[in-house]
Amino acid sequence: MAAAPVWSVDPRTGKQREQVAVEATAQEVDAAVRAAHDARSALADRTVRAAFLRFAADELEAAQGRLVEAADAETALGPVRLTGELARTCYQLRAFADIVDEGAFLDVVIDHPDDTATPPVPDLRRYKVPLGVVAVYSASNFPFAFSVPGGDTASAWAAGCPVVVKAHPDHPGLSELVARVLRRAAARHDIPEGVLGLVHGFEAGVELVRHPLVAAAGFTGSVRGGRALFDAAAARPVPIPFHGELGSLNPVLVTEAAAAERAEAIGAGLAGSMTLGVGQFCVKPGLVLAPAGAAGDRIVKSLTDAVSDTDAGVLLDHRMRDTFVAGVAERAQLPDVEAPVTPGPGGEHTVSAGFLTVPASRLTTDGEHDLLLEECFGPVTVVVRYEDDTEVRSVFSRLPGNLTATVHLSEEEGAGRGRGAEILAELTPLAGRVLVNAWPTGVAVAPAQHHGGPYPATTSTSTSVGGTAIERWLRPVAYQNSPAALLPPELRDDNPQKLPRRFNGSLER
């Protein structure tokens, strides 16, 4: 039977543009994984890895024009947004090169023998080594930053792990184009092109996570798809780590005092955040607790005005559009749910932004409104009107895990007077990033960043953004009583690579 074609589709029209590939067979997945496995030794030298990462960024920048054009044709995200995303992706590659050069990620620890300790301590030397081949599952909404050249790939390469990417069906042509650019960068440093495998097709994705030479996986996508792959990774004869980002509601609490102080600004800010990128950000604020009463009414009025002025937009594909339209319609039909601005179809190929409101009591007294506690991908949010702190805590108690949780405080509350610190403590168990007087859309690539959270936000405690994302693809190993001549250079007493390390209990460089 002939392999199924993979088509590039224009989301603005729903029409096929061109065939760019065919879905990979099990044999082709096996070949890609084995080629990646054979490329491991080419990444062993940290100097080569760092140079490769920097050159990959250079090559992506050199190809910016055609990459952005290809990305826009398949995603409708627009050249401005995509140019910024590509710049972020290149920055991330260079940031991981710096991390590789520094070497702190290796966590080198050396303990000399100590016969006076109880029990006695032998000669022990510990550091981290790469896991092996990493399977990366591309996201739909970030065709650069969470796709073929994105954070999972960059951090895996930085750790010394080759990658096989399962391309997202919403941008297969771009995926092929980016893969060619990155393979050229690899060849420049005598790294085999197998360091980056690329496969298409649903079944190929399943085969990939089950392959015995795949040592770990990174995923960004839906709860349903991610959970199926997570379960498959755990059900293998040899289970592997599966670092999945599945879904997030990203709750926001606006205190009574904050609403009284700046309701109009909060409403306008919320509108900008929830409609950014046509609501297709994983950190879109999807549930907002606003006070009942006059101050909360001002927030709703400001939000209504701002959202009403938002143009209809194109989602990443027509399946997502249909799911969005059906999802908001189902939510809007629930008792006591109102739609000050009705979200839904904006045209044959577009959607219009909107929001729903519901009394907090509906989320605390029965399960009929549980659908409002699930992410709805697209330009919609739910404003929950609460009467008091008891209702707020009750809603908090029913929330799933999230990537972010936000509170808007008044100036006085932010200065430590009032419940500010208490609210932060209540939000901390709910999310991996807690924001104060800000909006969650926009995830900085920075050493202190954490992009993860309790399930279903992610399936692990790790981050997929920032320098510590590299930790997902490493494991520690300790050598005991090994002759110095046999030790890896990183573990020798003379520290020839000048690595940060803990030596006989003390931190040193």
Side-chain angles (χ1 to χ4, degrees):
M1 189 167 74
V6 174
W7 289 92
S8 173
V9 176
D10 183 348
R12 294 180 173 95
T13 64
K15 296 181 178 179
Q16 294 177 339
R17 299 176 60 246
E18 60 179 340
Q19 182 182 340
V20 297
V22 295
E23 294 187 357
T25 64
Q27 292 76 18
E28 288 167 336
V29 172
D30 177 67
V33 173
R34 292 187 181 280
H37 186 73
D38 291 343
R40 290 173 303 154
S41 61
L43 293 176
D45 188 311
R46 286 178 27 247
T47 302
V48 171
R49 292 209 304 267
F52 166 46
L53 289 166
R54 291 190 178 98
F55 191 68
D58 293 343
E59 290 292 279
L60 289 172
E61 285 178 341
Q64 174 181 300
R66 54 198 172 99
L67 293 179
V68 168
E69 181 180 8
D72 183 52
E74 292 187 318
T75 68
L77 289 172
V80 174
R81 149 70 195 275
L82 291 166
T83 299
E85 186 186 328
L86 181 57
R88 165 208 168 114
T89 302
C90 294
Y91 174 84
Q92 188 165 242
L93 286 161
R94 294 184 177 111
F96 276 113
D98 292 342
I99 288 169
V100 172
D101 281 338
E102 181 193 59
F105 74 96
L106 294 169
D107 286 342
V108 176
V109 183
I110 295 175
D111 287 324
H112 283 166
D114 184 358
D115 293 336
T116 67
T118 305
V121 175
D123 186 276
L124 286 170
R125 295 155 192 266
R126 180 185 187 273
Y127 79 149
K128 291 181 177 177
V129 297
L131 289 174
V133 178
V134 171
V136 171
Y137 293 82
S138 294
S140 62
N141 55 341
F142 282 88
F144 293 120
F146 285 85
S147 187
V148 177
D152 286 348
T153 296
S155 59
W157 280 345
C161 297
V163 167
V164 179
V165 178
K166 190 274 180 188
H168 197 279
D170 280 351
H171 38 82
L174 175 68
S175 298
E176 290 285 343
L177 183 56
V178 169
R180 289 195 291 271
V181 171
L182 295 176
R183 286 168 180 158
R184 284 200 303 269
R188 176 73 174 267
H189 294 84
D190 296 324
I191 297 172
E193 69 173 27
V195 75
L196 175 65
L198 182 67
V199 297
H200 298 266
F202 175 82
E203 290 300 328
V206 176
E207 291 288 341
L208 186 57
V209 80
R210 291 175 175 166
H211 197 286
L213 292 180
V214 168
F219 171 91
T220 303
S222 69
V223 174
R224 181 181 177 184
R227 184 55 195 254
L229 291 171
F230 175 69
D231 291 344
R236 291 167 38 129
V238 179
I240 59 172
F242 183 89
H243 302 284
E245 179 191 323
L246 310 188
S248 183
L249 198 59
N250 305 301
V252 178
L253 169 63
V254 182
T255 68
E256 181 83 43
E261 188 174 271
R262 56 180 197 284
E264 288 73 21
I266 290 172
L270 172 58
S273 184
M274 59 154 286
T275 61
L276 186 65
V278 202
Q280 298 174 111
F281 279 52
C282 52
V283 287
K284 179 201 72 177
L287 188 87
V288 182
L289 288 88
D297 290 345
R298 287 165 52 209
I299 291 176
V300 172
K301 174 63 166 59
S302 176
L303 179 61
T304 298
D305 292 343
V307 172
S308 297
D309 288 339
T310 303
D311 293 334
V314 177
L315 293 185
L316 292 159
D317 63 42
H318 279 58
R319 177 188 58 81
M320 291 183 188
R321 179 186 178 277
D322 293 344
T323 300
F324 171 77
V325 171
V328 295
E330 186 178 3
R331 288 163 172 81
Q333 291 170 3
L334 294 170
D336 289 336
V337 172
E338 298 180 357
V341 182
T342 303
E348 184 180 359
H349 305 293
T350 61
V351 297
S352 59
F355 69 98
L356 309 175
T357 64
V358 65
S361 59
R362 279 295 190 176
L363 295 179
T364 61
T365 57
D366 59 55
E368 186 178 11
H369 289 67
D370 283 358
L371 184 61
L372 299 177
L373 302 179
E374 297 178 13
E375 178 185 17
C376 186
F377 194 72
V380 65
T381 194
V382 177
V383 178
V384 180
R385 305 297 299 274
Y386 67 87
E387 296 287 346
D388 51 35
D389 291 343
T390 299
E391 284 194 339
V392 170
R393 293 190 185 97
S394 183
V395 173
F396 281 175
S397 72
R398 305 199 60 223
L399 293 178
N402 294 274
L403 294 170
T404 71
T406 300
V407 60
H408 282 267
L409 303 171
S410 68
E411 184 176 351
E412 184 169 325
E413 289 169 328
R417 296 180 290 275
R419 282 192 65 228
E422 183 181 345
I423 292 171
L424 255 65
E426 292 170 354
L427 291 176
T428 297
L430 299 178
R433 179 163 57 106
V434 179
L435 298 91
V436 179
N437 293 347
W439 296 104
T441 40
V443 183
V445 179
Q449 185 60 270
H450 186 83
H451 190 63
Y455 186 87
T458 52
T459 59
S460 71
T461 60
S462 301
T463 179
S464 60
V465 179
T468 53
I470 195 173
E471 295 173 359
R472 297 174 295 168
W473 322 121
L474 298 161
R475 69 174 180 87
V477 60
Y479 295 91
Q480 181 171 330
N481 292 343
S482 174
L486 304 183
L487 287 169
E490 294 88 349
L491 295 182
R492 295 174 187 169
D493 281 355
D494 57 357
N495 197 12
Q497 300 180 7
K498 306 301 179 186
L499 295 171
R501 63 182 186 174
R502 183 174 290 276
F503 192 80
N504 287 335
S506 298
L507 287 173
E508 67 169 34
R509 285 193 66 92

